[in-house]
Amino acid sequence: MDLDLSTESPSSLETPLLVIPIAEGSGVLDRGPLQALDQHLGGGLTRGPAVDDFKGRAKDRILVYGQEQGPDRVLLLGVGKEEDLDAQALRDVSGRAVREAEGLKITRLALYVSHLAAPSARDWGQAAAEGLALAAWRFQELQAPDEDDAPLVEAATLVVPESGEWGEGVRIGEAFAEGENLARALQARPGNVATPTHLAEEAARIAKEVGLDLTVLGPREMEEEGMKALLSVSRGSDQEPRLMILHHRGGPKGQAPIVLVGKGLTFDAGGISLKPSKGMEDMKYDMSGGAAVLGAMLGVGRAGLPINVTGIVPSSENLINGSATKPGDVIGSRAGKTIEVINTDAEGRLILADALDYATDLTPAAIVDCATLTGACVIALGHHNTAVMGTDDGLIQELEEAGARAGQPCWRLPLGKAYRKQLDSDFADLKNVGGAPGGSITAACFLQEFVGDVPWAHLDIAGTAYGETTRSYLRKGPLGTPTRHLLEWVKARAAGGSA
Ligand code: BES
Ligand code: MN
Ligand code: ZN
């Protein structure tokens, strides 16, 4: 989507659709430029029935047609109580604006925000840009265009009181939305398209586009690295595994990087511990963590955030053939620990183990991994919160705050020795499953074995990365979570605080 800024008065904007978010009882139509707009429209926004129909409540809307000059259509969208109007509400109403344009089969719109009392123009500019650019995205790579489909909204003008701070926010929001839209596209691509080698090609493309350093490991390099856990998963598949390492060097030389690690399991059939076939098609989404890390690296690079960030994506399929790892097999790992594979469907933690161990060699300031790791997480938290677990209270708090800002909230679950004990094995240093009780927690305990003493947190996104959505700016299917969650965290780290 093309996004530009304007500081023009609403009455003189030449646009097919001018969308204006209005809070309940804010009175903004009775003063200033919006009063002038109402007068220009012959009082159409405030006369009798209009006032009855439109009070600014969350679902209120009225559409008024324009004059010869100025906007062709003016659409008021209610956003509820003024005190509830925050960056997330603006992201939502920006998404609604795009959906309204689609309904009218209009491909460009202007969103008026000059009248909003933004506590931070930068944050609000970012949220508006994100809402617009995320809403305008649709996956249509593999289908003939449908006549009845709404046309995609191609361009939006954000009408702001001043372009400085708002403009800076919009620039960040566009970068973050571009990253999240990449993640959504990678997620949407089926397993036969988005293979590990495909993800590596995409990593190369974004590295070139925004200037990241890229290393890609294949099976030979993984052998040399001793990545026996990752290799044990890909042994059952004809597709070669890949491990991508992307560096964004936006910070001072020598600054310890923060590292993002994402599970890039491009199709999870479960291996010998085969999954039931019902709903198995959704296991193409098992690379959502990897997609989010690639998207976040694109966003970090595009925004030029002043910090050193490394993204690591281990990628494999989990299928079955005559060489596939079997329940009871004991495998090695890069860290040297031996693992009894009780269930080959607990494969995510195996590929992450080697990636996390690799990450610790970079002596990072912190590691955050994200993975569609456990079905248990969906039982625990449903689809409305990512689970966060980890070893560092400060880091977890940063992630809780970043998730809230992004509209991708997370909720903490505990770790601890009692849970770790569920992974004790009679034949190896640990086993890869700890039973049904606390399944998301024991999975995280498994990962913890491979992060040494680096401050680390794990996001289980099994319930939040894909599926249905109530957000106006998303569509069902690939949701892009936690791309902007990670980006908000990186942005706060780059700013040197929790801003
Ligand atoms: N990719 C799955 C987790 C998953 C399940 C994500 C449902 C999204 C929706 C993971 O690899 C897996 O299969 N986990 C097992 C672990 C079990 C064998 C301990 C699970 O959750 O059943
Ligand atoms: Mn699995
Ligand atoms: Zn999996």
Side-chain angles (χ1 to χ4, degrees), residues 263 265 268 283 286 345 347-348 372:
K263 173 180 175 182
L265 208 293
D268 182 12
M283 283 299 122
D286 212 16
D345 199 10
E347 84 300 335
T372 46

Side-chain angles (χ1 to χ4, degrees), residues 153-166:
V153 175
E154 286 157 6
T157 300
L158 197 64
V159 190
V160 293
E162 55 78 38
S163 52
E165 286 286 301
W166 278 92

Side-chain angles (χ1 to χ4, degrees), residues 110-154:
L111 178 65
Y112 188 80
V113 295
S114 298
H115 60 307
L116 302 178
S120 160
R122 206 180 270 238
D123 290 352
W124 285 39
Q126 182 188 332
E130 288 172 352
L132 291 166
L134 292 168
W137 180 88
R138 180 163 63 206
F139 185 70
Q140 47 188 17
E141 291 175 9
L142 302 173
Q143 267 177 322
D146 186 333
E147 293 275 308
D148 300 333
D149 270 357
L152 281 185
V153 175
E154 286 157 6

Side-chain angles (χ1 to χ4, degrees), residues 9 31 52 169 186 190 205 357 377-378 402 408 415 431 454:
S9 79
R31 59 174 187 262
D52 292 339
L186 297 177
R205 190 174 61 77
D357 183 65
C377 186
V378 190
Q408 299 179 329
L415 294 175
K431 54 187 186 183
V454 179

